[in-house]
Amino acid sequence: MAGRLVKAGLVIRFHAVTLFPEMFAAVTASGISGRALEAGLWSLGLWNPRDFTSDNYRTVDDRPYGGGPGMVMLAEPLDKALDAARQAGGGKVIYLSPQGRKLDHAMVMELAGTTAMTFLCGRYEGVDERLIGRRVDEELSIGDYVLSGGELAAMAVIDAVVRQIPGALGGEQSALEESFVDGLLDCPQYTRPEVWPQDGAGGKVPAQVPSTLLSGHHENIRRWRLQQALGRTWLRRPDLLAARKLNDDERKLLEDFQRQRGESGK
Ligand code: ADE
């Protein structure tokens, strides 16, 4: 169909080697990623290592050498599943694990610039180290906590990367206006009604929508939003602010924000 693909070449072919392929419905069936899949902007090949076993029990794991709790995923079925993904054009092999490099916006953009990648999703206590040493190009973590498997982490990566494919976000939405793009957190958002709740009771923020947003003055609104983004980043993620240069205007907006906070007692 004409116009279905925004631009030739900007299609990303994901693959996942997983014991739980059905989990991936979370990104294929709903929301922005689901719609982008239907639009042909990305694809997903699922490869179950159980389908690459040769024994009657379809064994995919065994006890760890040296003892200890849990099971370790066998190298051989994973190796064969990765071969199948590679034959389908699998690209770089990314193993999801808490030991990996921590995912951030820069990494998402890097991945969004490639055309294919294969996620290796571990379960149990992990994957035989020899398989990792021979087949994995990158080890990636989505945070300093332990998930029960790599699938949720792989889906987090898929979702974040798909949002960056041109055309994945509908209509006026733009990946350029989101948190982190500019090294800052997002500004707060409001929608109708202008006062909520009606009695104005409770909460840490006023019930009234900030007047600037109702003013229709585009430049003032832009500056208010920038100031809020700067202020929030200062309050919540000073590490991000330290890593970003501020121009004179931004510095003034932030100082203003800080002064107001100081007066109202941060
Ligand atoms: N697998 C288990 N925990 C994980 C994490 N935090 N990030 C990526 N993959 C994982």
Side-chain angles (χ1 to χ4, degrees):
M1 193 200 302
R4 242 167 78 107
L5 300 186
V6 165
K7 204 172 168 188
L10 286 177
V11 173
I12 302 185
R13 311 253 172 236
F14 296 99
H15 296 266
V17 170
T18 171
L19 288 169
F20 299 99
E22 68 280 2
M23 285 181 74
F24 285 82
V27 282
T28 59
S30 331
I32 284 171
S33 57
R35 195 182 53 202
L37 180 69
E38 264 179 34
L41 297 179
W42 63 286
S43 65
L44 178 62
L46 293 165
W47 311 92
N48 192 336
R50 222 175 270 289
D51 296 335
F52 297 87
T53 52
S54 41
D55 64 318
N56 286 339
Y57 298 101
R58 307 181 80 200
T59 311
V60 291
D61 61 347
D62 207 336
R63 286 164 301 163
Y65 278 122
M71 302 288 267
V72 175
M73 289 182 83
L74 296 167
E76 192 66 20
L78 292 176
D79 197 43
K80 289 180 172 154
L82 284 169
D83 281 344
R86 183 163 61 191
Q87 274 174 27
K92 204 160 66 166
V93 175
I94 299 171
Y95 176 46
L96 286 317
S97 99
Q99 282 80 48
R101 175 177 156 199
K102 197 149 357 135
L103 185 73
D104 61 11
H105 179 67
M107 181 85 193
V108 168
M109 295 311 288
E110 218 176 281
L111 293 174
T114 67
T115 54
M117 67 198 81
T118 297
F119 298 112
L120 175 59
C121 302
R123 281 273 150 176
Y124 316 118
E125 291 309 304
V127 169
D128 191 308
E129 187 66 22
R130 295 165 297 184
L131 184 280
I132 297 172
R134 280 168 179 73
R135 299 300 302 263
V136 169
D137 301 307
E138 284 223 40
E139 206 162 328
L140 205 60
S141 165
I142 62 162
D144 292 337
Y145 44 82
V146 179
L147 300 167
S148 305
E151 286 82 3
L152 282 170
M155 284 187 270
V157 180
I158 290 172
D159 186 272
V161 170
V162 164
R163 298 174 63 76
Q164 300 301 330
I165 304 175
L169 301 182
E172 64 215 63
Q173 275 180 295
S174 162
L176 288 174
E177 285 170 23
E178 297 183 312
S179 282
F180 303 114
V181 173
D182 199 18
L184 300 174
L185 301 183
D186 257 355
C187 62
Q189 302 285 355
Y190 296 83
T191 186
R192 289 191 292 177
E194 281 181 27
V195 179
W196 185 90
Q198 202 63 66
D199 64 5
K204 297 176 208 145
V205 291
Q208 170 71 46
V209 172
S211 56
T212 307
L213 296 179
L214 305 173
S215 69
H217 191 301
H218 297 302
E219 179 56 13
N220 285 356
I221 291 171
R222 185 194 69 78
R223 287 174 59 77
W224 181 88
R225 286 181 166 155
L226 175 59
Q227 184 174 52
Q228 292 293 315
L230 288 161
R232 279 194 156 185
T233 311
W234 169 65
L235 286 170
R236 299 180 188 190
R237 293 292 305 276
D239 57 310
L240 291 179
L241 211 53
R244 188 187 184 282
K245 280 204 174 76
L246 300 187
N247 63 34
D248 289 347
D249 193 37
E250 290 168 340
R251 190 171 310 285
K252 256 193 73 245
L253 285 171
L254 178 58
E255 281 168 7
D256 229 43
F257 182 97
Q258 291 166 328
R259 206 170 305 117
Q260 283 168 34
R261 276 270 154 178
E263 281 160 15
S264 68
K266 183 165 171 177

